[in-house]
Amino acid sequence: MLVALKADLRIEASEAQKGDKYICPGCGSSVVLKRGRIRIAHFSHRPPINCSWARGETIAHMNGKKMLFDSLRARNLAVEIEAVLSNLTGADRRADVLVTSPRGFRVAIEIQHSNIDLDNIFARTRSYMELGIGVVWIGMISGDLIDEAEDYGNCRLIERYQARPWERWVCNLPSSKSKGIWYLEYERARLWRGQFEKHEIDVPDSSFRDEYGEEVYVGGYTKTSKRWRELWLEGPFQLSEIRIGRDVRKAWSGDFFEYPGGVLAKLIAPSDINLR
Ligand SMILES: [Zn+2]
C-alpha cells in the first residue's frame, strides 16, 4: 500500500516519516511505514490482516504503480496513486493510478499482477464505464521472459506463454483498432504491446497394431495447444512516449468471453501516431 492517512490527509509512503501515526484508508486500522534501501517505501498492516486492501499486493505491483504515477506526474498531468473511488464495484475501491486529461477525461490504469477471475474483471470494467472513467488494464512481464524471447527487431516472440484467461480477455477488450494487451516490464521501466497467436504442436507420425493386428497410422499433423499461446510483443516503449486516449467498444458475448459496452481508455504507441 503506497498511500495512508495521517490526521485524515492522504500521504504517500515516499514522503512519509517514520514514527508518525498512519491509518489504512480502507479499514481504519493503523499501518506501519516500511522503508529500506532496496524495497520501495510502503505501508504495511500489522497481523492478523483482515483488510482487503492488504491482500495480494506484491512489491513488483507497488513498484509498477509508482513508476507509472511518477512518469505521468513528470508530464504535469493531474494524477493520483491508489485513488479512492467510493462507487467502484469490488472489495478494493481504489484505482491503482487515476489520471485526468486536460479536458477532464478521467482514466484509471489498473496494473494486474496476480490472477483475477473473468467475472471480477468484467464487473470492475463495467463499473468504471458506469462512472464515466476510462480503464486500461496492464499486465506485468518479467525481464527474464523478455530476455529469453526471440528478437525480431521491432518485436519479440515468446513461443510458449501460458496466457491466463484474464490476459486473453484484456487483449480483446479494446476496440478492434487498438487491440492488444500492454505489459509493464518493471525492472527496466518500459512497456510492450502483446498479441496472442495459437501455439501449434507437431504430432509426429507413428503406427501401432490394433486388436485385429491391422497397422494403424497416427500423427503427422499439427494441433493447436490448449495450454500454450504464442505471445508477440511489440516494443519496447518508454513510459514517457506513450499517450492515453479514449476508446469505445460494443458489448459482446460469446462462448467463453463476455464484454461490457461503453467508453474505456487505450494506450497509444508512437508507431500508431505515425500511421495516421
Ligand atoms: Zn486496511
Side-chain angles (χ1 to χ4, degrees):
M1 202 166 77
L2 298 175
V3 175
L5 299 176
K6 181 184 165 187
D8 290 335
L9 292 172
R10 285 166 53 88
I11 181 158
E12 278 174 50
S14 58
E15 286 156 15
Q17 302 292 324
K18 269 194 172 168
D20 285 342
K21 193 174 186 302
Y22 299 108
I23 300 290
C24 169
C27 67
S29 63
S30 77
V31 287
V32 188
L33 175 66
K34 297 256 173 90
R35 104 185 304 172
R37 263 177 298 168
I38 300 163
R39 284 190 162 195
I40 182 172
H42 64 282
F43 297 103
S44 178
H45 285 72
R46 292 190 176 90
I49 300 164
N50 297 312
C51 175
S52 64
W53 287 29
R55 255 175 243 140
E57 196 173 57
T58 59
I59 293 290
H61 183 218
M62 286 193 281
N63 271 319
K65 282 196 267 197
K66 182 87 169 92
M67 220 169 258
L68 274 174
F69 171 70
D70 287 344
S71 137
L72 292 165
R73 191 165 54 174
R75 293 192 219 171
N76 292 320
L77 288 162
V79 59
E80 212 181 307
I81 194 164
E82 293 181 1
V84 177
L85 297 159
S86 50
N87 293 323
L88 193 66
T89 298
D92 189 346
R93 295 173 207 282
R94 288 177 301 177
D96 283 342
V97 173
L98 186 72
V99 56
T100 307
S101 80
R103 287 181 184 171
F105 178 46
R106 288 192 295 167
V107 173
I109 303 175
E110 292 274 16
I111 302 172
Q112 195 60 36
H113 192 215
S114 52
N115 209 357
I116 179 169
D117 65 53
L118 292 178
D119 287 346
N120 268 326
I121 199 166
F122 176 96
R124 204 159 161 101
T125 300
R126 189 173 54 189
S127 181
Y128 275 121
M129 285 173 170
E130 285 165 0
L131 295 174
I133 298 172
V135 63
V136 187
W137 294 93
I138 296 183
M140 292 187 88
I141 198 155
S142 76
D144 289 348
L145 270 184
I146 296 291
D147 290 341
E148 286 162 18
E150 247 175 280
D151 192 344
Y152 286 90
N154 59 352
C155 67
R156 310 265 169 109
L157 168 62
I158 299 172
E159 266 191 68
R160 292 203 306 166
Y161 184 82
Q162 206 164 3
R164 290 166 289 185
W166 73 264
E167 292 174 276
R168 289 161 49 210
W169 188 89
V170 166
C171 190
N172 287 307
L173 174 65
S175 65
S176 56
K177 268 186 280 175
S178 48
K179 257 188 178 181
I181 172 168
W182 287 85
Y183 287 99
L184 175 65
E185 181 197 352
Y186 82 94
E187 296 100 326
R188 296 180 193 130
R190 54 191 196 174
L191 291 161
W192 298 84
R193 179 163 53 193
Q195 297 278 357
F196 297 114
E197 297 285 345
K198 288 173 183 166
H199 176 81
E200 302 287 346
I201 304 169
D202 287 325
V203 182
D205 298 301
S206 64
S207 66
F208 61 91
R209 295 209 178 263
D210 68 12
E211 52 189 313
Y212 307 106
E214 296 280 327
E215 194 156 30
V216 179
Y217 294 91
V218 292
Y221 58 91
T222 60
K223 67 170 185 183
T224 302
S225 170
K226 283 192 180 128
R227 184 168 177 203
W228 305 105
R229 290 281 188 291
E230 287 183 359
L231 173 55
W232 289 85
L233 293 163
E234 181 193 353
F237 301 104
Q238 301 308 312
L239 296 176
S240 58
E241 56 182 353
I242 296 299
R243 297 284 169 271
I244 303 171
R246 241 170 81 102
D247 193 22
V248 183
R249 71 149 298 132
K250 284 188 182 137
W252 186 85
S253 99
D255 288 344
F256 299 105
F257 291 146
E258 188 185 357
Y259 290 96
V263 172
L264 53 143
K266 64 178 172 186
L267 299 189
I268 302 164
S271 49
D272 303 339
I273 297 162
N274 296 340
L275 288 173
R276 270 171 221 155

